[in-house]
Amino acid sequence: MTVNTKANGLDLRQWLADIDAGKQLKQVSGADWNLELGAIAELNVKKSDPKALLFDDIPGYPAGHRVLTCTTSNAARLANILRLGEIGGHQDLVSRLRGRPNTWKSRAAEYDPVEVESGPVLEHVAAGKDVDVSAFPAPLWHEKDGGRYIGTGCMVVTRDLDTDWINVGTYRVMIHDRNHVGLDMIPGKHGAIQYDKHMAAGKPFPVAIVLGCDPLGYTISGIEVPYGMCEYNYIGAILGQPVEVVRGQATGLPFPSAAEIVIEGWAHPGDLKEEGPFGEFHGYYPGKQGVSPVVTIERVYHRSRPILLGSPPAKPPNDYSYSKAVMRSALLMDALQASGVPDVQAVWAHEIGGARMFNVVSIRQRYPGHARQAGHLLLNCGVGAYMSRWAVVVDEDIDPANLQEVMWAVATRSDPERDIDIVRRGMGSKNDPLFVTFGTDTPFNSKAVIDACRPYDYLARFPEVAEASKALQAATRRKWGHILDD
Ligand SMILES: Cc1cc2nc3c(=O)[nH]c(=O)nc-3n(C[C@H](O)[C@H](O)[C@H](O)COP(=O)(O)O)c2cc1C
């Protein structure tokens, strides 16, 4: 066996040691998988600077069968995950990320994963009647969930039917029984497209589900990497090292050699079952049970003392809403610039809209129509279209991440009759709470641009802002800081 020492098996334990040293990790002993663990994790992320939580001694499970949550929920850990080094806080993270997604995308082809024959994930392998996914403490995360979700902060590895494209997406995974799980892939997601091709050809669909590894894995499989590109390559470009993988015995699919737990099997044509409901990233249980593909698990691989990586959604802020806001804002910024919109200052995909439904861009207006151009592209560019609803465009003096300032601009600079553009029959989602409520057949939604910029044709006449100038503010802070900075 040749082990490429330069490759990276996405070892979660190395990452944990790193953040523990930085006092970013809290151990929790004795929390029950049945709602208690989920509620602790949910309340934890509502704090202003939440630590990651590592749950152990979960009743009914051997000590050492652990669950990790809140990995990506603050700036320091997210910067660490994205290999950005030490940062000076949230704003620093956002500015360091600028332009990086485009660089990672363009370098991805240089980082094909490296295959090895063995790795820590193969420490324990179960096949046939020994397969039992309930050996791991999958939580019942929320009170009204339809089942126990073993896959939330996971990576679902699948293969295309007619090319050798491997896709890695984050899709939720619910336990049906010891060797069956349900997989919820929204139509249009890359995994769903590959699945549909297999079903149309009457062929079983190969699936390997990585249930814990370095959180860089699910941070990237949970965002929009271009169609046809393998997320392992993209991750390799971030690391500056290829991902080290082993091949599954049942499907031949590649998964990280140092993964904690991997389950592997096939979704067979016609094998569908009720799945859900599940508390979602926008803060609702959208609808009742739906029907989704069942994966029959043929192999389970895990390390000793395995760690299940959980990242449960819920009303924002939730476990991954911060990382989604940061990542999607960076992707949207790059997308607007790539499509030729000049003078984009900043973009923010707000956590309150699950980083999809309420996005804001600030621009320095250069010409008539500039604001609407930015707003419409924000709503409908590739990375922004799915489930987008509101795009707000503000001038450069407004911080798009500051809701107070954004809504002040909406209240004072937009005239509803003139400044709201509606897009009809846009790309929606079956998970949209309104789609579920109205009960139509097809998930279109309407979308709106709110142009909250000062009217371009009357810029000279628009009143001045009644606020101390930046220079006066700075001078006042220098002299009166002892009064102002508590
Ligand atoms: C923690 C987490 C859970 C997610 N759950 C789902 C899900 O259940 N179904 C789904 O279609 N997308 C889900 N997503 C969003 C997808 O992972 C995301 O859209 C990603 O781009 C899909 O990969 P793909 O572009 O390769 O299809 C989730 C994302 C995260 C971070």
Side-chain angles (χ1 to χ4, degrees), residues 152 167 170-172 184 186 189-190 222-223 231 320 356:
T152 49
N167 190 66
T170 298
Y171 314 117
R172 73 191 192 204
D184 182 62
I186 304 284
K189 301 290 171 98
H190 300 163
I223 57 154
E231 283 74 3
Y320 60 88
R356 290 195 185 278

Side-chain angles (χ1 to χ4, degrees), residues 315-366:
K315 180 177 162 190
N318 60 45
D319 194 280
Y320 60 88
S321 57
Y322 177 70
S323 73
K324 280 280 189 179
V326 171
M327 295 302 291
R328 190 156 293 110
S329 301
L331 290 171
L332 286 167
M333 177 89 186
D334 281 2
L336 289 188
Q337 286 176 335
S339 68
V341 184
D343 284 299
V344 176
Q345 308 295 301
V347 175
W348 194 248
H350 281 268
E351 286 184 73
I352 52 158
R356 290 195 185 278
M357 300 164 91
F358 188 87
N359 300 338
V360 184
V361 54
S362 64
I363 60 166
R364 185 181 297 276
Q365 292 188 77
R366 290 291 178 207

Side-chain angles (χ1 to χ4, degrees), residues 157-361:
V157 186
T158 54
R159 193 169 47 227
D160 200 20
L161 180 67
D162 34 32
T163 69
D164 57 5
W165 169 37
I166 299 289
N167 190 66
V168 191
T170 298
Y171 314 117
R172 73 191 192 204
V173 182
M174 187 182 103
I175 295 181
H176 287 309
D177 58 40
R178 46 173 279 280
N179 65 337
H180 294 97
V181 296
L183 187 59
D184 182 62
M185 298 175 293
I186 304 284
K189 301 290 171 98
H190 300 163
I193 293 170
Q194 294 182 339
Y195 170 81
D196 289 344
K197 283 193 195 177
H198 281 78
M199 295 306 111
K203 295 200 166 151
F205 181 54
V207 182
I209 306 172
V210 181
L211 296 170
C213 68
D214 183 322
L216 176 61
Y218 97 96
T219 302
I220 299 309
S221 64
I223 57 154
E224 289 73 11
V225 166
Y227 182 86
M229 179 179 284
C230 177
E231 283 74 3
Y232 289 145
N233 287 69
Y234 197 97
I235 292 169
I238 295 174
L239 293 168
Q241 290 177 304
V243 175
E244 184 179 275
V245 294
V246 293
R247 284 206 183 267
Q249 297 167 2
T251 63
L253 286 170
F255 45 83
S257 62
E260 293 288 328
I261 307 167
V262 176
I263 58 179
E264 185 197 18
W266 302 87
H268 294 281
D271 196 3
L272 303 167
K273 195 167 173 173
E274 286 76 29
E275 185 268 355
F278 189 51
E280 276 281 3
F281 71 94
H282 44 50
Y284 298 91
Y285 298 93
K288 304 189 179 60
Q289 274 186 333
V291 167
S292 47
V294 173
V295 183
T296 301
I297 305 300
E298 295 191 357
R299 295 284 189 289
V300 175
Y301 312 86
H302 71 91
R303 298 176 69 158
S304 296
R305 297 173 50 79
I307 304 172
L308 182 67
L309 175 49
S311 190
K315 180 177 162 190
N318 60 45
D319 194 280
Y320 60 88
S321 57
Y322 177 70
S323 73
K324 280 280 189 179
V326 171
M327 295 302 291
R328 190 156 293 110
S329 301
L331 290 171
L332 286 167
M333 177 89 186
D334 281 2
L336 289 188
Q337 286 176 335
S339 68
V341 184
D343 284 299
V344 176
Q345 308 295 301
V347 175
W348 194 248
H350 281 268
E351 286 184 73
I352 52 158
R356 290 195 185 278
M357 300 164 91
F358 188 87
N359 300 338
V360 184
V361 54

Side-chain angles (χ1 to χ4, degrees), residues 1-3 114-119 122 244-247 257:
M1 186 190 78
T2 49
V3 177
V114 169
E115 191 183 329
V116 294
E117 281 164 30
S118 189
L122 301 181
E244 184 179 275
V245 294
V246 293
R247 284 206 183 267
S257 62

